[in-house]
Amino acid sequence: MDLLNTLVDKGLRRELPTRDEALAVLATSDDDVLDVVAAAGKVRRHWFGRRVKLNYLVNLKSGLCPEDCSYCSQRLGSKADILKYTWLKPDQASQAAAAGLAGGAKRVCLVASGRGPTDRDVDRVSDTIKAIKDQNEDVEVCACLGLLSDGQAERLREAGADAYNHNLNTSEGTYADITTTHTYADRVDTVQKAHAAGLSACSGLIAGMGESDEDLVDVVYSLRELDPDSVPVNFLIPFEGTPLAKEWNLTPQRCLRILAMVRFVCPDVEVRIAGGREVHLRTMQPLALNLANSIFLGDYLTSEGQAGKADLEMIADAGFKVEGASEVTLPEHRVTAGAGCGAHAEAGCGAHADAGCGSHEGGGVCGSVKVQAEQEQPAEARTDLVAVRRRGAGTDLAPNA
């Protein structure tokens, strides 16, 4: 049985692929990318049908972060010309959220720059959650506020938060090369705090920062062990004025292979295409819907996204449908039993990238899929596609939704 058939069978059984199999997906050639998408698409449709969940970001506090995450336009010392403002009032945040909900979003993600919230910040966000839910009873609210202290996750849950986002971003082995002001272990601890408080954990990665295939597999396997309900896959947006401004390492085909690998490793988890899809997937975005069952609608934290109307048209044209507010995103076994995305107990299924809150051959795999014989060529720098957000939250202009 060849590699892709093996991975499909494992995905339908929620069985963990081997590391060599995951690496082999990343090492497949561009000639075989449609075969990879078709195979991972079978797993995606088995667990999620043709539904696409829409999420909407509200940037509660933008810029001036004391952390030094190299990928982030809001980082300490960033020269990126982004919007900078302090906390939105609850009614302002609720109005911003309403635009996304009117566009079809069922989850609102409330994000704030910073190392982590103070207790006063938790009070602010709690008031904002109440304001949003008073107007939209069925909406899901996810908070993304950085590192959590003891008791804060419980307070957010009591305030009505449904989920908490904190991304691992990259592998433990390379984390210190990206960020020095906090540790990988700090991020893991926050995801575990969210879990323990009864919040739905959301944690993902950033691809395109110069990492190896092994790093990508490492972080996705670590995510599986943490057992989040949703895994956002961000593709680095190389903002001018940040240390990673020159890192243009992704092609559309590379992005599709990464999404396929994530789907195979965490088959029954909400895989979300997050920041950078417009920059790196470009006209291949509709193909990615065969791999991910969730996207962000409209703009991101500090960058502009595709027009919300275009997102909706893309979903319809690709033969998918927007997931309704009354539809349950996750498969029944995850909802009712809290099961991990793996079939075995020993293999259970941050600040943030701009979506809030990228090689070596895999040896030892017997399969019919061709492996790239030479290193992928560097991608062309598409700086023209990096548009700083100038509308929506923190401005007087209407949001994109």
Side-chain angles (χ1 to χ4, degrees):
M1 183 178 290
D2 67 16
L3 170 67
L4 296 179
N5 286 336
T6 298
L7 289 170
V8 170
D9 288 345
K10 287 186 173 184
L12 300 186
R13 298 195 303 265
R14 296 185 289 129
E15 182 180 338
L16 181 67
T18 68
R19 288 183 57 87
D20 279 348
E21 287 167 344
L23 286 166
V25 173
L26 296 179
T28 52
S29 72
D30 287 352
D31 289 342
D32 291 312
V33 73
L34 290 180
D35 293 328
V36 174
V37 171
K42 292 179 182 178
V43 179
R44 181 254 201 262
R45 289 191 300 278
H46 177 81
W47 296 113
F48 298 97
R50 302 194 73 84
R51 293 175 285 116
V52 178
K53 181 176 180 177
L54 298 182
N55 308 268
Y56 192 70
L57 285 163
V58 177
N59 196 356
L60 298 178
K61 181 167 74 78
S62 182
L64 306 175
C65 183
E67 303 300 288
D68 69 353
C69 307
S70 299
Y71 52 80
C72 188
S73 62
Q74 305 183 75
R75 74 186 298 272
L76 178 70
S78 171
K79 300 288 193 284
D81 185 24
I82 61 169
L83 291 170
K84 300 180 180 68
Y85 53 86
T86 190
W87 289 92
L88 298 181
K89 293 181 172 56
D91 62 328
Q92 294 173 312
S94 181
Q95 289 173 10
L101 296 172
K106 66 181 292 183
R107 171 173 287 191
V108 172
C109 303
L110 302 175
V111 187
S113 63
R115 179 179 177 84
T118 64
D119 287 340
R120 184 183 177 192
D121 293 337
V122 172
D123 288 339
R124 284 191 181 102
V125 176
S126 297
D127 290 343
T128 297
I129 294 169
K130 183 178 185 303
I132 291 172
K133 291 211 164 187
D134 281 349
Q135 298 296 318
N136 306 275
E137 184 178 351
D138 296 329
V139 68
E140 297 176 11
V141 175
C142 178
C144 176
L145 311 174
L147 301 173
L148 292 175
S149 301
D150 290 344
Q152 291 183 328
E154 287 78 6
R155 289 176 58 198
L156 290 167
R157 183 76 180 106
E158 291 168 5
D162 300 284
Y164 195 84
N165 165 263
H166 199 62
N167 296 327
L168 296 186
N169 290 330
T170 193
S171 69
E172 182 174 13
T174 59
Y175 195 82
D177 297 332
I178 298 299
T179 303
T180 66
T181 48
H182 60 267
T183 67
Y184 181 89
D186 291 332
R187 288 183 174 273
V188 170
D189 178 67
T190 286
V191 177
Q192 292 172 334
K193 281 183 167 69
H195 258 311
L199 292 166
S200 175
C202 172
S203 188
L205 64 141
I206 306 173
M209 297 190 291
E211 70 285 335
S212 68
D213 284 5
E214 284 80 1
D215 291 322
L216 286 170
V217 171
D218 282 348
V219 68
V220 176
Y221 274 64
S222 295
L223 288 166
R224 178 167 172 137
E225 291 173 5
L226 278 175
D227 192 22
D229 288 325
S230 57
V231 174
V233 180
N234 296 280
F235 300 110
L236 177 71
I237 302 177
F239 278 95
E240 290 296 331
T242 65
L244 299 184
K246 305 304 180 187
E247 294 288 338
W248 289 87
N249 304 306
L250 298 171
T251 64
Q253 294 81 7
R254 171 81 168 161
C255 294
L256 291 171
R257 284 190 286 268
I258 291 167
L259 288 167
M261 185 270 288
V262 175
R263 175 56 72 199
F264 286 130
V265 176
C266 286
D268 61 343
V269 167
E270 177 190 340
V271 175
R272 183 180 311 146
I273 317 172
R277 66 176 164 93
E278 299 89 345
V279 177
H280 297 293
L281 279 163
R282 301 191 288 276
T283 58
M284 303 284 268
Q285 290 180 69
L287 268 183
L289 296 177
N290 290 280
L291 307 170
N293 62 296
S294 181
I295 67 170
F296 281 104
L297 177 72
D299 292 336
Y300 302 97
L301 295 177
T302 61
S303 68
E304 292 186 353
Q306 184 167 279
K309 183 174 182 290
D311 286 337
L312 299 176
E313 291 175 348
M314 175 183 71
I315 291 168
D317 288 347
F320 294 88
K321 69 183 187 72
V322 173
E323 184 173 286
S326 63
E327 294 181 279
V328 178
T329 300
L330 296 173
E332 184 177 1
H333 64 270
R334 287 191 66 86
V335 176
T336 58
C341 69
H344 308 293
E346 68 270 20
C349 190
H352 39 75
D354 198 53
C357 95
S359 125
H360 303 285
E361 297 180 359
V365 178
C366 178
S368 64
V369 178
K370 289 188 297 183
V371 174
Q372 289 175 311
E374 57 187 34
Q375 190 170 357
E376 204 164 4
Q377 292 300 309
E380 177 189 359
R382 290 298 304 274
T383 56
D384 58 304
L385 296 179
V386 179
V388 174
R389 180 173 70 83
R390 301 295 185 200
R391 59 196 176 195
T395 77
D396 295 327
L397 300 177
N400 171 28

